[in-house]
Amino acid sequence: MKEFIITEAQTERAVLVGLITPEQNEQKVNEYLDELAFLAETAGAEPVKRFQQRVPYSHPVTFVGPGKLQEIKTYVVENEIGIVIFDDELSPKQLRNIEKELQVKILDRTSLILDIFASRAQTAYAKTQVELAQYQYMLPRLTRLWTHLERQRGGIGMRGPGETQIETDRRIILTKISKLKEDLQDIDKQMSAQRKNRGKMIRVALVGYTNVGKSTLMNQLSKSEVFAENKLFATLDTTVRKVIVDNLPFLLSDTVGFIRKLPTQLIESFKSTLDEVREADLLLHVVDISHPGFEEQIEVVNKTLAELDDTEKPVIMVFNKIDAFTFVPKEEDDLTPRTRENIDLEELERTWMNKMQDNCIFISAKDRTNIDNLKTLLYNRVKEIHITRFPYNDFLFQQYDEE
Ligand SMILES: Nc1nc2c(ncn2[C@@H]2O[C@H](COP(=O)(O)OP(=O)(O)OP(=O)(O)O)[C@@H](O)[C@H]2O)c(=O)[nH]1
Ligand SMILES: [Mg+2]
């Protein structure tokens, strides 16, 4: 079975491939490929070259057109490339054909993210979740391979050993999937019991795109040491800490970051990690304001949150990394519409303050800028929630406020 598991991409030279389509213009594709390159580096590969093609939609058989595929092949052979990574999820058919043609390891966005998750998973729980997602990714790809072979060999009377092997593999995978699901259910029960035991404390969850600084902020707010680094998906397991601001205690959790096209298998199998988000009373949506695509990242996070949970939760928008924000002033006669590049920080702040009322703040978790104001904001919101939830219990706060 081993050969089906997506292997880790260790310091292998990689080529990245993206499509310029009516939905994603050249600038967007460049941004997506930057992100794909970051993902590839996180997985241990070295991206050395990018290929792009302008097409109305992806080629059903080979993703890029046949001419482009030959161009990639020539480059791969001449430059000893070990992996070719595609920026979209490849269909089983595309995967087979591209693999056959290029004769090197082929990954897509989904399998790359799954690979990173697999190498990052620390606890038995995270490992089980990722393994389940990997098998679910594999299964349809095996099925297609099987029907593909069957068609080639001509069906009845021709069912040879190759096909039997694949059928066996399919059965093994199905058994594994149901075993993993059972394991997860057991752990889920334990975890939900644990969450219940935490009592009535207000729960606040840090959410956001990957690498925006959630864990760094968690460390600042709780004075803990949560693993934070400049890699994607540094955090896979949820960490929960008790935080006390001005004598007011609440629970703060740090969770897995979101990303564009987060594989659905992963959302599914990480459901219980994400329960922490679902059961939170208040969300701190952390945004990396220094990232050129921060607005799209906000959308991705909001969409993923909506998929997880259809109830509206109070949200505080936390715009992080203001120390790294760069502003390119506009020339006076420049009539191009305002974009991220020519709006300065104050203007952004005003716009968001208007939109979010008081529920937004601009900080630098790294330099601790505005962290005290964030704490005050948190204190006020948590207190409000507490008072609406436990109206007879607010003497507690009088005590706090008097101290
Ligand atoms: N310049 C700057 N960098 C920051 C700031 N906050 C965090 N970082 C850096 O951003 C990177 C990612 O930080 P993390 O805290 O790991 O981000 P995260 O959101 O927890 O990321 P994942 O767990 O991977 O989703 C690290 O290199 C941090 O040092 C900030 O305010 N300014
Ligand atoms: Mg983190």
Side-chain angles (χ1 to χ4, degrees):
M1 288 309 300
K2 259 241 135 52
E3 66 269 28
F4 290 116
I5 295 176
I6 301 128
T7 45
E8 213 178 307
Q10 262 166 351
T11 51
E12 284 169 280
R13 290 150 64 79
V15 159
L16 311 179
V17 186
L19 296 181
I20 306 166
T21 61
E23 289 86 48
Q24 44 188 49
N25 63 25
E26 195 167 349
Q27 190 200 337
K28 273 277 151 245
V29 173
N30 272 321
E31 229 175 88
Y32 294 161
L33 288 181
D34 284 345
E35 185 174 85
L36 195 69
F38 199 2
L39 281 166
E41 282 163 16
T42 301
E46 184 198 354
V48 291
K49 168 94 178 158
R50 296 174 179 198
F51 286 92
Q52 296 180 359
Q53 190 176 34
R54 194 180 294 275
V55 284
Y57 45 82
S58 80
H59 194 290
V61 184
T62 46
F63 189 75
V64 291
K68 195 54 136 191
L69 196 64
Q70 282 315 309
E71 200 187 312
I72 298 173
K73 188 176 179 176
T74 309
Y75 187 88
V76 163
V77 173
E78 282 171 5
N79 296 278
E80 292 180 10
I81 300 297
I83 324 167
V84 181
I85 309 173
F86 291 79
D87 190 41
D88 280 288
E89 185 164 318
L90 296 171
S91 72
K93 186 175 173 186
Q94 289 170 331
L95 183 65
R96 287 300 309 155
N97 286 306
I98 297 169
E99 223 161 37
K100 212 163 92 193
E101 193 58 37
L102 298 184
Q103 303 277 329
V104 288
K105 205 178 327 178
I106 309 297
L107 293 179
D108 60 13
R109 200 169 234 275
T110 306
S111 52
L112 183 58
I113 293 175
L114 286 172
D115 185 71
I116 295 170
F117 270 60
S119 66
R120 296 254 146 183
Q122 296 281 328
T123 60
Y125 188 47
K127 282 182 185 149
T128 314
Q129 287 175 317
V130 179
E131 210 182 320
L132 176 61
Q134 282 187 313
Y135 280 124
Q136 282 167 337
Y137 174 84
M138 245 179 254
L139 195 60
R141 281 154 183 86
L142 275 186
T143 315
R144 281 295 177 90
L145 180 65
W146 174 62
T147 46
H148 168 81
L149 283 180
E150 188 190 41
R151 218 181 305 127
Q152 241 182 19
R153 294 213 192 100
I156 304 167
M158 300 296 287
R159 294 173 204 258
E163 179 200 310
T164 316
Q165 182 56 47
I166 291 157
E167 251 311 271
T168 316
D169 287 349
R170 241 177 74 80
R171 224 164 280 137
I172 293 172
I173 289 186
L174 282 170
T175 317
K176 280 197 186 254
I177 286 180
S178 57
K179 171 81 174 65
L180 287 167
K181 280 187 175 163
E182 273 169 33
D183 291 354
L184 279 181
Q185 266 175 6
D186 288 346
I187 312 178
D188 281 354
K189 272 189 215 136
Q190 287 169 20
M191 306 238 316
S192 87
Q194 268 176 21
R195 283 198 300 272
K196 283 206 186 86
N197 282 341
R198 286 196 212 129
K200 291 177 172 176
M201 248 191 270
I202 302 295
R203 280 144 66 168
V204 182
L206 287 160
V207 295
Y209 210 76
T210 180
N211 209 47
V212 293
K214 299 178 294 297
S215 300
T216 311
L217 183 58
M218 173 93 171
N219 289 341
Q220 294 286 15
L221 291 173
S222 68
K223 300 199 187 75
S224 62
E225 276 308 314
V226 175
F227 185 58
E229 67 168 340
N230 194 21
K231 287 221 168 140
L232 300 175
F233 305 113
T235 309
L236 274 197
D237 287 295
T238 305
T239 318
V240 185
R241 289 273 145 72
K242 185 171 160 189
V243 177
I244 303 173
V245 177
D246 284 344
N247 284 339
L248 171 61
F250 57 90
L251 295 174
L252 183 66
S253 62
D254 178 18
T255 51
V256 56
F258 298 158
I259 195 164
R260 189 177 75 93
K261 296 187 188 159
L262 190 65
T264 41
Q265 301 94 332
L266 269 180
I267 300 188
E268 188 50 41
S269 63
F270 270 73
K271 265 212 155 66
S272 145
T273 301
L274 294 166
D275 273 344
E276 210 60 60
V277 175
R278 210 174 298 129
E279 293 175 11
D281 303 294
L282 171 67
L283 301 179
L284 289 186
H285 181 163
V286 185
V287 177
D288 174 359
I289 194 94
S290 73
H291 194 285
F294 81 89
E295 273 153 331
E296 194 188 352
Q297 295 189 344
I298 294 176
E299 269 173 47
V300 170
V301 171
N302 285 339
K303 256 196 221 143
T304 316
L305 284 174
E307 268 174 52
L308 276 177
D309 184 8
D310 45 15
T311 58
E312 287 268 318
K313 279 193 207 307
V315 179
I316 299 177
M317 297 293 290
V318 180
F319 292 96
N320 188 32
K321 306 200 189 180
I322 55 171
D323 60 286
F325 180 88
T326 49
F327 166 57
V328 188
K330 232 170 106 163
E331 304 260 335
E332 258 181 35
D333 55 355
D334 186 351
L335 297 178
T336 45
R338 288 197 168 274
T339 61
R340 152 77 177 76
E341 276 74 29
N342 53 35
I343 292 184
D344 66 19
L345 202 55
E346 276 97 70
E347 200 174 337
L348 267 174
E349 200 167 346
R350 268 200 309 278
T351 318
W352 279 97
M353 291 294 246
N354 278 338
K355 203 156 121 186
M356 298 294 297
Q357 286 96 36
D358 290 340
N359 293 315
C360 93
I361 190 156
F362 285 63
I363 65 157
S364 164
K366 193 177 113 226
D367 298 347
R368 283 197 69 84
T369 320
N370 251 345
I371 296 291
D372 287 338
N373 288 336
L374 171 60
K375 281 186 171 172
T376 311
L377 190 59
L378 257 171
Y379 175 86
N380 291 333
R381 290 295 167 275
V382 172
K383 190 170 145 181
E384 271 169 28
I385 296 169
H386 205 289
I387 289 171
T388 43
R389 182 143 335 143
F390 314 110
Y392 307 109
N393 205 358
D394 60 352
F395 68 93
L396 260 178
F397 293 103
Q398 285 160 17
Q399 254 182 346
Y400 291 145
D401 289 342
E402 277 159 16
E403 272 172 21

